[in-house]
Amino acid sequence: MGWETEQSKLVQRLRREGAAGEGVLAVLARVPRDVFVDEAQRHLAFHDTALPIGQSQTISQPTVVAVMTDALEVSPQHRVLEIGTGSGYQTAVLAELGGEVFTVERSPELADLARRRLQYLGYANVHVALGDGTMGLPSHAPFDRILVTAAAPTVPPALIDQLAPGGRLVLPVGGRADQQLVVVSRDDEGALQERSLGQVRFVPLVGVQGWPE
Ligand code: SAH
């Protein structure tokens, strides 16, 4: 089976599961996940599973990417911050939907590789920064949308500070073993609201406002 067939089968499966709306599904049908995984994993690129990407990290399961991206409700006028670039796959998905996308990764190796892949695919609206994303990216704040793709023990205050009015933050919050996928919304007056979308499993967010190393 060719990759295009495998990719469209995966998207059909996400549609059946009701993981995301058609806008997000169209993006998942377009972004080549195989480019973001190592050669040894490439035959599994369109399976609905998380895969190792080196440095003890993983590229998230497509269902989880679909659910998180859908919950984030990104549109072209948004300035978006992602914490945990990893492979860069979720970054590419955000770049297809958003205006300007800033992504922060703490591993230099992963940041470099992701930057090269995103350049190769021609994403001109993406900026990969190296650093501790638990502190956000104050130099480019505020953000309309913030997505964290590693598990935080609590919602990092810096990310709340950098969320624009009308903004939305999606992140896994909880213990090291499993977490709740939390959506924090800030209304136009600045008031915060929080809801949960169910249980997820992410690698730890390591940093000043995350887990210790
Ligand atoms: N979104 C990624 C999956 C990321 S896995 C993808 O699509 O492939 C989580 C990533 O978060 C890992 O690469 C890890 O190095 C990174 N990470 C963990 N703590 C971080 C921190 N404080 N700041 C930035 N990145 C962090």
Side-chain angles (χ1 to χ4, degrees):
M1 198 162 44
W3 282 345
E4 280 176 28
T5 317
E6 283 203 39
Q7 186 162 13
S8 72
K9 282 192 139 183
L10 172 62
V11 172
Q12 278 169 37
R13 178 191 167 129
L14 298 174
R15 180 177 290 115
R16 272 200 309 277
E17 290 172 348
E22 288 303 321
V24 170
L25 292 177
V27 167
L28 297 179
R30 197 155 64 224
V31 177
R33 190 168 183 257
D34 54 285
V35 170
F36 294 91
V37 300
D38 296 338
E39 222 168 297
Q41 310 288 335
R42 212 151 279 170
H43 64 294
L44 300 172
F46 299 111
H47 288 217
D48 192 21
T49 52
L51 294 169
I53 56 172
Q55 315 293 321
S56 311
Q57 305 302 322
T58 55
I59 178 172
S60 306
Q61 181 188 356
T63 293
V64 174
V65 172
V67 168
M68 287 181 108
T69 308
D70 199 68
L72 201 62
E73 295 185 2
V74 183
S75 51
Q77 76 274 16
H78 289 153
R79 177 189 283 260
V80 182
L81 175 65
E82 178 195 28
I83 308 302
T85 315
S87 69
Y89 173 68
Q90 173 76 70
T91 319
V93 169
L94 295 172
E96 292 270 349
L97 292 162
E100 216 64 27
V101 178
F102 298 84
T103 183
V104 183
E105 171 57 53
R106 70 187 290 268
S107 154
E109 291 82 3
L110 292 176
D112 267 5
L113 194 52
R115 192 180 287 118
R116 276 189 273 139
R117 285 165 169 161
L118 292 160
Q119 258 167 19
Y120 164 75
L121 291 173
Y123 291 106
N125 59 337
V126 169
H127 314 276
V128 181
L130 186 64
D132 176 8
T134 67
M135 305 309 284
L137 196 60
S139 55
H140 293 83
F143 299 95
D144 305 297
R145 296 292 185 264
I146 303 178
L147 180 64
V148 184
T149 62
T154 54
V155 181
L159 300 184
I160 297 283
D161 289 347
Q162 292 169 36
L163 192 61
R168 191 178 270 247
L169 160 65
V170 175
L171 79 172
V173 182
R176 277 186 184 265
D178 53 57
Q179 308 89 31
Q180 291 292 312
L181 186 56
V182 172
V183 182
V184 181
S185 320
R186 160 164 280 163
D187 69 19
D188 292 332
E189 281 72 52
L192 297 169
Q193 214 192 355
E194 211 178 291
R195 69 195 163 92
S196 172
L197 297 180
Q199 193 178 302
V200 286
R201 283 185 68 98
F202 275 84
V203 295
L205 180 72
V206 177
V208 171
Q209 296 185 7
W211 293 99
E213 198 134 356

